[in-house]
Amino acid sequence: AQKVTQAQTEISVVEKEDVTLDCVYETRDTTYYLFWYKQPPSGELVFLIRRNSFDEQNEISGRYSWNFQKSTSSFNFTITASQVVDSAVYFCALTRNRDDKIIFGKGTRLHILP
Amino acid sequence: GAVVSQHPSWVICKSGTSVKIECRSLDFQATTMFWYRQFPKQSLMLMATSNEGSKATYEQGVEKDKFLINHASLTLSTLTVTSAHPEDSSFYICSASNGDTSSYEQYFGPGTRLTVT
């Protein structure tokens, strides 16, 4: 069975601090995809990143970076120099392929305090 | 990029009435569409998977007679909540899989907020 665990329910940091959101996944598939989505108060899901199981390279996009470690089944997300606009709920997710359902973690609610 | 729309974006209805939510892929053909439900401060949970021209596959615990899903074309899927009750109040989000590309692509709609009074 597939499962995504985001142990941090809620995090509050002061603006400009770095923050890391943890994600641990479980799957028996050798091929799978991992995602991070941002959900602001409006509710719309904002796609942040997709990683396939064969690509363990870490990724950096501006202030965002992701650390994918198959050995520990983790796909952590770091925001550097956080900003108030980063306040949202962040979901880590997992799927086998595009025609399969996406399994979401419970989400981490991030508060960036001014 | 590919766009998925949902209509309406929000709806309020009275208990006992039915509500239809549309999910459209605007610039691609969606071979598979998914319907998720999100209760306040909770995660997204898949309700059902629909493929064009065939019956939807419902997740365990989701009443197929209450949540009617129709995927009549490659660009449109509808979710009808029949005899809605206050406990059906939720945020409903669809996603669509792009059948035209070989790489992974699945796009989410903006969601529909349903309030049953």
Side-chain angles (χ1 to χ4, degrees):
Chain A
Q2 296 182 310
K3 185 178 178 182
V4 176
T5 301
Q6 294 180 255
Q8 304 149 307
T9 305
E10 204 155 344
I11 300 175
S12 294
V13 300
V14 177
E15 197 173 19
K16 296 184 184 176
E17 287 185 358
D18 298 347
V19 58
T20 295
L21 308 183
D22 298 331
C23 173
V24 174
Y25 63 93
E26 295 176 31
T27 181
R28 293 180 182 172
D29 299 304
T30 53
T31 301
Y32 52 89
Y33 297 84
L34 294 163
F35 305 83
W36 275 95
Y37 290 92
K38 174 182 180 180
Q39 188 177 44
S42 64
E44 185 164 356
L45 281 178
V46 178
F47 168 81
L48 296 178
I49 189 170
R50 176 183 71 242
R51 260 284 175 270
N52 73 51
S53 52
F54 298 109
D55 184 1
E56 276 194 82
Q57 283 191 359
N58 292 329
E59 174 129 354
I60 298 175
S61 177
R63 296 183 297 107
Y64 296 170
S65 62
W66 291 269
N67 185 338
F68 178 24
Q69 300 261 352
K70 284 181 76 172
S71 60
T72 56
S73 297
S74 65
F75 187 42
N76 297 336
F77 172 34
T78 297
I79 301 175
T80 303
S82 60
Q83 299 177 2
V84 173
V85 293
D86 296 327
S87 297
V89 180
Y90 290 86
F91 291 100
C92 180
L94 167 71
T95 190
R96 289 190 187 97
N97 58 62
R98 70 177 181 198
D99 295 324
D100 203 357
K101 63 185 177 185
I102 295 178
I103 307 296
F104 287 86
K106 295 193 177 210
T108 297
R109 188 172 297 272
L110 179 63
H111 302 278
I112 308 298
L113 308 172
Chain B
V3 178
V4 175
S5 71
Q6 281 185 242
H7 179 79
S9 54
W10 60 269
V11 57
I12 301 173
C13 71
K14 291 189 176 180
S15 188
T17 61
S18 295
V19 175
K20 180 185 283 189
I21 302 170
E22 292 185 349
C23 176
R24 292 183 185 271
S25 55
L26 298 185
D27 50 2
F28 66 96
Q29 293 187 324
T31 50
T32 306
M33 285 185 169
F34 305 85
W35 287 95
Y36 295 82
R37 179 170 54 182
Q38 185 181 28
F39 291 110
K41 298 202 174 183
Q42 293 189 26
S43 187
L44 286 79
M45 297 297 293
L46 181 71
M47 298 175 66
T49 303
S50 73
N51 292 293
E52 185 262 339
S54 60
K55 289 185 179 180
T57 302
Y58 290 81
E59 293 297 296
Q60 194 172 8
V62 177
E63 300 173 59
K64 60 180 69 176
D65 294 330
K66 180 171 183 62
F67 298 100
L68 303 179
I69 291 173
N70 186 298
H71 192 163
S73 77
L74 285 172
T75 59
L76 173 64
S77 176
T78 60
L79 166 66
T80 301
V81 183
T82 62
S83 188
H85 288 99
E87 56 265 31
D88 298 323
S89 297
S90 187
F91 192 53
Y92 293 86
I93 305 176
C94 72
S95 71
S97 169
N98 187 339
D100 292 336
T101 66
S102 58
S103 63
Y104 181 94
E105 298 293 352
Q106 194 178 121
Y107 303 94
F108 282 87
T112 296
R113 199 166 298 280
L114 169 64
T115 302
V116 185
T117 60

